[in-house]
Amino acid sequence: MGGMKRLIAMVVVAAVGCAGRAGAEESAAAVSGGTLRLEERGRAKVFVFAAKTTKKDGERLKIKLHYVRRYKIPPGLVAPGEPDFEEELIDIDKDDAVAKDGALASEMGASDLEPWPGRYRVVVSWPDAEAPSDDGMAKAEAEAEIGDAKDLGAMRARVDREVYEDMARIGRILDSIGDRWKHLGANPDATWADFRKTAARRIDAVKQRNGRRRTAEIYWMEARGKQRIDWTFQKLCPLLDAASQHLGKPAANRPDPKELDLALADTEEDYRHYLDYLGFGRIVDAESVDSALSAVGKIAGEVKEWRAKAAGDPAAWMEASADLGARLMESTLKLSGELPESYFARAEAVGKITLRMIDHVRELAAGKKPAVEWEELERKLEAAVKELQESVPRVSDE
């Protein structure tokens, strides 16, 4: 509730006005004194518009709610007397308002999601032969500045994470269908009915979350993520039905297996394409990352044991260090293989620090003072591993 109080307190109301030639001033006065504000209706946040009107009771006026995105024009391209920005109006909602007792009122854009910070504008329009617009409609506007721009980064990150998590949940269901099909014998899949029931519940939960996401492209990931998740279900839900005809029956009663092979391949192809389109590349398997990090940690532990004895047996250390270096390269390549490109720098940091630990022991074995203290290397490795582990999304099935 505290966040909503702050949003409401920051609303800036603009009076309704109509731009155009002087001949339209009388028409513009048909709607005046407009306000736009954000209010709560239970769990929902609603944009509430109100204005005065000279229209007769029962007359209808069209109302549209927009999010206003502004683009700065380079100074050298700004025309004299013109604004230094261009605007893009993103459609949020629309309504028909009915004049009554000299007033108009409308509630639009209801959502239980926190609204994106920024400028919102209501445009009221009605037929008028004297209107300056090409469509023969007179127009009036009201604006409100909602929220705080400094909240945008956190809101975008949350949406990114939530879309990723739902795509990951879909992927797990799809992977499980493929795995069950791959290992299916002549008998029916003994746990298919339970899996199907669980999958239906999880799909329904994702659909409910996705249904709350906004279609308006205020933030690309929210609108496009919603769309791609919907499109994935258009393939996944029929795939589950088709899979039941195979996995739930003995081999003698199954349709042509090529039918399920093609449906599965088609759904997987679309799913991978959507992951690329949304910029995720792939879903990270947190358990596989942990396993790869554990292998690197084991190597670091072995290097630490050699630190106390390498100088006393340099020949044995030379042999062991070659093996440790080769295993470290293999482990770091495997770690990177579990991750999309955006994680490579963090994975590389883990490998480089562990390699520096091997160099540290080599310097000791050669009778030299190591360039970096062992305790510092341990602290750096712990921090690098922690940073990577905490950056990997750990997605529940529900």
Side-chain angles (χ1 to χ4, degrees):
M1 183 68 73
M4 271 306 304
K5 289 181 179 177
R6 174 175 54 76
L7 284 170
I8 293 172
M10 293 189 68
V11 170
V12 179
V13 176
V16 170
C18 185
R21 65 181 186 271
E25 290 179 358
E26 184 176 345
S27 177
V31 178
S32 62
T35 61
L36 177 64
R37 63 186 184 274
L38 188 68
E39 293 188 359
E40 289 185 341
R41 296 285 189 273
R43 294 178 58 187
K45 291 83 174 174
V46 180
F47 288 87
V48 178
F49 168 73
K52 297 177 182 178
T53 183
T54 59
K55 294 288 186 180
K56 296 178 182 179
D57 284 6
E59 287 196 50
R60 291 184 175 274
L61 297 89
K62 294 185 180 297
I63 299 182
K64 288 186 177 181
L65 174 65
H66 304 280
Y67 183 87
V68 184
R69 181 173 288 135
R70 287 185 172 177
Y71 301 93
K72 197 78 170 176
I73 300 174
L77 300 179
V78 178
E82 295 295 324
D84 63 351
F85 60 85
E86 290 184 352
E87 289 186 340
E88 177 188 5
L89 298 183
I90 299 170
D91 294 340
I92 303 296
D93 202 357
K94 61 183 178 179
D95 191 18
D96 284 344
V98 179
K100 183 177 182 182
D101 299 330
L104 295 171
S106 177
E107 296 185 0
M108 292 175 289
S111 175
D112 60 354
L113 300 175
E114 182 180 350
W116 289 102
R119 185 184 300 270
Y120 291 80
R121 180 182 298 164
V122 163
V123 178
V124 187
S125 60
W126 62 96
D128 192 320
E130 298 297 320
S133 59
D134 294 336
D135 59 3
M137 304 288 283
K139 293 180 174 65
E141 300 176 353
E143 288 189 353
E145 192 75 27
I146 303 296
D148 194 330
K150 73 172 185 289
D151 295 335
L152 278 170
M155 289 179 67
R156 288 169 178 160
R158 183 170 66 248
V159 169
D160 291 352
R161 184 184 68 250
E162 290 171 352
V163 171
Y164 173 95
E165 288 175 348
D166 278 343
M167 287 296 288
R169 293 179 178 108
I170 293 170
R172 288 176 183 174
I173 294 171
L174 185 56
D175 288 345
S176 186
I177 296 172
D179 187 62
R180 286 169 179 269
W181 178 230
K182 181 180 178 181
H183 295 97
L184 184 66
N187 295 320
D189 184 330
T191 60
W192 174 253
D194 290 338
F195 169 80
R196 180 73 192 273
K197 186 182 299 183
T198 300
R201 186 185 72 247
R202 291 172 179 169
I203 287 171
D204 185 62
V206 174
K207 283 184 174 180
Q208 288 188 38
R209 283 190 294 271
N210 204 48
R212 294 171 58 233
R213 295 187 175 107
R214 291 159 285 214
T215 56
E217 286 198 22
I218 298 175
Y219 182 47
W220 185 90
M221 180 62 80
E222 181 179 45
R224 293 304 179 181
K226 175 185 179 70
Q227 183 186 62
R228 265 47 185 188
I229 288 172
D230 282 341
W231 288 359
T232 304
F233 282 137
Q234 290 176 18
K235 294 284 185 71
L236 179 60
C237 294
L239 176 65
L240 276 166
D241 292 336
S244 290
Q245 299 303 310
H246 294 266
L247 282 83
K249 296 180 179 181
N253 298 336
R254 293 171 194 159
D256 186 342
K258 290 182 180 178
E259 295 178 8
L260 185 55
D261 287 336
L262 289 172
L264 185 61
D266 184 42
T267 308
E268 289 175 340
E269 181 180 7
D270 280 2
Y271 177 73
R272 288 193 297 270
H273 173 69
Y274 297 154
L275 288 179
D276 287 337
Y277 176 81
L278 294 171
F280 298 139
R282 60 183 294 186
I283 299 300
V284 180
D285 185 336
E287 290 185 2
S288 295
V289 172
D290 290 343
S291 177
L293 282 172
S294 177
V296 175
K298 184 175 184 296
I299 292 168
E302 292 179 38
V303 175
K304 184 175 182 178
E305 292 177 1
W306 272 104
R307 183 171 174 262
K309 58 186 181 182
D313 194 348
W317 161 246
M318 287 294 293
E319 182 179 348
S321 64
D323 176 65
L324 288 166
R327 286 165 52 202
L328 176 61
M329 179 177 290
E330 181 182 351
S331 296
T332 52
L333 285 173
K334 184 176 181 180
L335 176 61
S336 296
E338 296 292 344
L339 297 163
E341 188 175 349
S342 60
Y343 287 80
F344 284 179
R346 288 187 286 270
E348 186 180 37
V350 172
K352 282 184 174 180
I353 295 167
T354 310
L355 182 60
R356 189 65 194 90
M357 288 177 159
I358 295 174
D359 290 339
H360 174 102
V361 179
R362 283 188 179 133
E363 290 163 354
L364 281 178
K368 300 177 182 178
K369 178 177 174 56
V372 183
E373 294 294 329
W374 180 262
E375 291 74 15
E376 182 180 348
L377 291 171
E378 285 187 317
R379 286 194 300 271
K380 287 183 176 180
L381 180 60
E382 182 180 0
V385 169
K386 182 179 180 182
E387 181 183 9
L388 178 53
Q389 284 183 317
E390 290 182 348
S391 69
V392 172
R394 298 175 184 274
V395 184
S396 67
D397 285 328
E398 301 296 336

